[in-house]
Amino acid sequence: MPRRRSGPSRIGEPLGHPIPLRMSRDMRDAADTEAKARGLTLGAWVRSVLAERLDLTDPEHVQPVRRYGGGGPDAAALHALRMQLHELGGLLVQVSKASRLSGESHRHADAEDTLAQVREAISTVAAWQDERRTAA
């Protein structure tokens, strides 16, 4: 099984090419049930089905992503926190890039240090979400 990512973060990775996909409510519910059973997001499950059908099994094509979020107020709060940390990380990348290009090495270094801390916080929240999933 290829290495999985936790959640939607793709820092440092190409975004790929999103495609619109329409399906009935029944089809979406059935696909989501299958994805949940495998511990994947719906998008990751759809990619795995397409990759299998097209015989493209390289991890680059499959891109498995563990499900995140979940039920209950605590899980919703953890999910919201994680998404805000991702947003903060994106902003810090922009600050880091702009300060590097403008020659502000001290600001660049501060942004990189803070970005490392935000990434560590994202990993911590992801671990908490995993603990909640395994406890349930």
Side-chain angles (χ1 to χ4, degrees), residues 47-122:
R47 278 190 304 276
S48 72
V49 170
L50 286 171
E52 181 181 319
R53 174 72 182 209
L54 300 172
D55 198 28
L56 298 169
T57 56
D58 188 276
E60 171 192 352
H61 304 298
V62 180
Q63 298 182 22
V65 177
R66 243 184 260 133
R67 285 188 84 82
Y68 50 92
D74 291 343
L78 284 175
H79 179 71
L81 174 61
R82 188 168 172 184
M83 294 303 101
Q84 289 301 313
L85 287 168
H86 281 292
E87 287 291 318
L88 178 60
L91 293 172
L92 283 167
V93 166
Q94 292 176 23
V95 168
S96 175
K97 214 182 267 189
S99 58
R100 180 175 41 87
L101 292 173
S102 67
E104 298 177 78
S105 59
H106 65 286
R107 184 170 288 159
H108 173 73
D110 287 346
E112 287 293 322
D113 288 343
T114 306
L115 182 58
Q117 293 171 11
V118 167
R119 287 178 176 156
E120 187 174 327
I122 290 170

